[in-house]
Amino acid sequence: MTDRIGYVVTQGVSMNPVYYQNDLVFVVKADSYQVGQIAAYHGKSPGQRVLHRIIGGSGSSGFVMRGDNNESTDLLTPTTEEMIGRAVLRVPHGSIWLKPLLGPSGIGMLTFLVISGSAMTARTRRDIPRGRRKKRVKAMSSGQTGSWASAAAVYKAVERLSPMLRAAAATAASLLLLALVLGVLGWMKPVAERKAAARTPAQSITYAYSAKVPLSAAYDGTTARSPDPIFRRLADRVTVNARYDGPAGTFTLTATLTNGTGWHTSQTLVKTTAFTATRFDATVPLDLAALVARADEATAAIGSGPKGQVAVGLVAQVTSPGLNNLVAPLQLVVSPVQLSPGQGAKFVTETDTTAPDLVVAREITVFGHSLLTASQARSYAFLALLGAVVIAALVLFAALRKLPVRTRAEIERRYPQLLVHVEPMASPPGKPVVNVDNFPALVRLSERYGQMILTWRRPEADDFVVRDEGITYRYRVPLDGEPTLQNVELIDQSAAGKHRTEASPVS
């Protein structure tokens, strides 16, 4: 579009839920960018534009980009100079119906409508008290006469509009105000914000084993506990406890025996059991001699493998409604000498309750009630502005059609069939001369009396006259094309339906 303003048509789902397929996103080039902003940059393919969020990096070394719905970061790391711009406005599915407006001609037309439409919301000269109006007329004659006269002409045309068009102008002003309010609410902060995710309930499974042993130099007491090894010469039966803490659900405990040859077998130690409390304890005995014997039978059947040892893999699983399954494994190794935890054995397994911040659409709230999202506010602001400028353009077009002609060129272009160019002539002696306030009034007189409009040039002005029954009706235009203070007063008199009569002859 321009060097500072561009647009991106979204494709795919990488920016869900902020943007969706075929959304139209306007971007504005910035001098600097910050982490958390959504920005567009040029992709690898010609004409490709990528619209993702900045999650790290810097403008000099390159920003790290990633789509909100992607798991991996982008391969390219654009610098500030390589950025197309940051996202400022989203039009849902706007690429479908706004493409005709995105060319240079469409943007130029929108710019014209925005500038010209603002004039429709101003007060007309009829709303200004008479005393203040005269002061403004005097100011017009002292400086910047052309621009003030043009504005006065526009106001005059608005006064001539029908009630329906005045209502349309008021509607345009209301839409413009609505667009301003929604634009402020939508752009005062980013379209998305980070919120802490809801913490999941804590869950944990804790293993422990113990065995009764006689008094000896191997232990300080008569009970051996995890994670110390259990020497089989002193105890060959071990009690294993699996304790769960967390929301209610179902509990299951299984054991898998292996001997390193690929052989394995599973045993259910605790069948699926439902519980309603926030704690569940499962205690099962392990006969080490029986487990080793079962492994030795498999070794004998295979014909190879170690004897007198087995690995016991315990797996406790808890299923709670609305939560992911919690699975806790524990490896125990039984040798001819002892039972000991396997390498890297983990006696406590718990869920991670820390969740990363979520990127959610920013909501606009009033007194605690959510009205709409910031993205929706931006979209509605754009639509309201578009509606305002379109309505204002229609009103402006109607007003321009009612603008009075103010120069000879305009008169000759609009009424060539009524004009007759003659040499300057004086009015009949003793006959009245009526100065007409505006040229359309002279046209009506010409049509009423069936007379042509006579016109001639003088060094100081152009005269247009209609003569009937000894009365000369005259409309005079200064050669500079700008009404004098006297002419402005005549325009005011026209609004009241008055005419000024002179006794002097036309000269």
Side-chain angles (χ1 to χ4, degrees):
M1 293 168 61
T2 66
D3 293 338
R4 301 290 299 180
I5 302 177
Y7 67 91
V8 176
V9 176
T10 59
Q11 301 291 335
V13 297
S14 64
M15 283 303 294
N16 290 2
V18 180
Y19 302 131
Y20 291 92
Q21 181 84 5
N22 289 325
D23 283 354
L24 180 68
V25 182
F26 288 89
V27 295
V28 175
K29 192 169 185 63
D31 296 330
S32 62
Y33 300 87
Q34 299 177 356
V35 174
Q37 291 180 338
I38 299 176
Y41 65 92
H42 295 286
K44 291 184 176 180
S45 304
Q48 180 187 18
R49 297 180 178 184
V50 182
L51 183 70
H52 282 169
R53 189 180 300 277
I54 302 174
I55 63 171
S58 64
S60 56
S61 62
F63 290 108
V64 180
M65 312 291 291
R66 186 180 68 189
D68 290 351
N69 200 33
N70 289 349
E71 295 183 358
S72 58
T73 58
D74 298 354
L75 297 178
L76 298 180
T77 54
T79 62
T80 299
E81 290 73 18
E82 295 170 338
M83 286 289 191
I84 300 175
R86 64 179 182 88
V88 296
L89 174 64
R90 165 185 172 247
V91 181
H93 304 290
S95 63
I96 299 174
W97 57 278
L98 280 184
K99 280 185 178 179
L101 296 178
L102 297 180
S105 60
I107 296 300
M109 179 61 69
L110 287 178
T111 304
F112 168 75
L113 293 178
V114 170
I115 296 174
S116 61
S118 61
M120 291 299 96
T121 60
R123 293 192 304 171
T124 65
R125 298 178 71 249
R126 183 173 295 178
D127 298 327
I128 303 174
R130 181 67 180 176
R132 293 176 57 188
R133 190 192 315 169
K134 289 184 177 180
K135 293 180 181 180
R136 296 193 177 189
V137 169
K138 294 179 180 179
M140 284 192 289
S141 63
S142 60
Q144 297 185 352
T145 308
S147 58
W148 278 106
S150 299
V154 172
Y155 297 156
K156 182 69 175 179
V158 173
E159 286 183 343
R160 299 191 184 99
L161 295 179
S162 64
M164 181 180 296
L165 288 179
R166 291 194 181 201
T171 302
S174 301
L175 287 176
L176 189 62
L177 179 61
L178 178 63
L180 178 62
V181 173
L182 291 177
V184 170
L185 294 177
W187 271 282
M188 64 188 302
K189 293 181 181 179
V191 71
E193 59 185 359
R194 294 184 177 272
K195 285 188 176 181
R199 296 176 63 89
T200 58
Q203 294 176 286
S204 65
I205 295 178
T206 304
Y207 285 106
Y209 61 79
S210 62
K212 294 293 185 179
V213 295
L215 287 173
S216 66
Y219 299 103
D220 293 335
T222 58
T223 303
R225 292 184 173 84
S226 54
D228 295 335
I230 305 296
F231 296 104
R232 296 183 61 187
R233 185 174 181 180
L234 300 177
D236 218 19
R237 294 183 65 85
V238 178
T239 300
V240 176
N241 175 264
R243 187 189 72 197
Y244 166 77
D245 293 285
T250 59
F251 181 90
T252 303
L253 179 61
T254 59
T256 300
L257 306 182
T258 60
N259 62 358
T261 62
W263 166 82
H264 62 86
T265 184
S266 298
Q267 300 178 2
T268 300
L269 303 181
V270 177
K271 296 181 179 180
T272 302
T273 304
F275 61 95
T276 57
T278 57
R279 180 170 178 173
F280 182 84
D281 278 285
T283 302
V284 294
L286 293 182
D287 187 338
L288 304 185
L291 297 178
V292 171
R294 178 68 180 87
D296 288 345
E297 291 176 1
T299 299
I302 296 172
S304 65
K307 290 186 178 181
Q309 66 183 43
V310 65
V312 181
L314 301 177
V315 177
Q317 179 172 315
V318 175
T319 302
S320 297
L323 299 176
N324 295 330
N325 292 345
L326 177 61
V327 179
L330 177 65
Q331 187 81 1
L332 299 177
V333 179
V334 182
S335 68
V337 178
Q338 64 184 17
L339 175 146
S340 61
Q343 185 175 4
K346 188 177 181 180
F347 283 87
V348 179
T349 301
E350 56 187 357
T351 56
D352 185 6
T353 59
T354 60
D357 292 344
L358 298 177
V359 178
V360 298
R362 179 171 64 88
E363 295 185 351
I364 297 174
T365 58
V366 176
F367 301 113
H369 298 283
S370 177
L371 298 181
L372 71 171
T373 64
S375 178
Q376 291 174 329
R378 294 183 179 187
S379 302
Y380 295 154
F382 178 80
L383 294 177
L385 178 61
L386 185 62
V389 296
V390 169
I391 296 175
L394 295 176
V395 176
L396 178 63
F397 178 74
L400 291 177
R401 289 180 61 88
K402 295 182 178 294
L403 281 177
V405 289
R406 298 170 53 246
T407 65
R408 169 176 284 277
E410 293 174 351
I411 293 173
E412 291 180 343
R413 183 172 59 252
R414 191 176 300 185
Y415 306 102
Q417 72 282 3
L418 298 178
L419 301 180
V420 176
H421 295 268
V422 298
E423 294 296 326
M425 63 180 64
S427 61
K431 299 298 183 179
V433 175
V434 177
N435 284 328
V436 180
D437 301 345
N438 54 77
F439 194 82
L442 192 66
V443 172
R444 291 192 292 272
L445 290 171
S446 171
E447 294 172 347
R448 178 187 301 176
Y449 298 122
Q451 300 288 339
M452 300 295 289
I453 300 177
L454 306 180
T455 179
W456 58 80
R457 287 181 177 273
R458 289 191 179 276
E460 71 280 2
D462 288 330
D463 286 349
F464 300 85
V465 300
V466 171
R467 290 179 174 176
D468 182 74
E469 298 179 355
I471 301 178
T472 298
Y473 300 93
R474 179 179 66 184
Y475 178 75
R476 173 170 289 181
V477 178
L479 289 183
D480 58 7
E482 301 295 342
T484 61
L485 177 60
Q486 182 182 25
N487 286 339
V488 174
E489 292 296 336
L490 289 176
I491 292 175
D492 290 337
Q493 294 173 13
S494 174
K498 298 178 181 180
H499 298 285
R500 181 167 61 87
T501 303
E502 295 181 354
S504 59
V506 177
S507 57

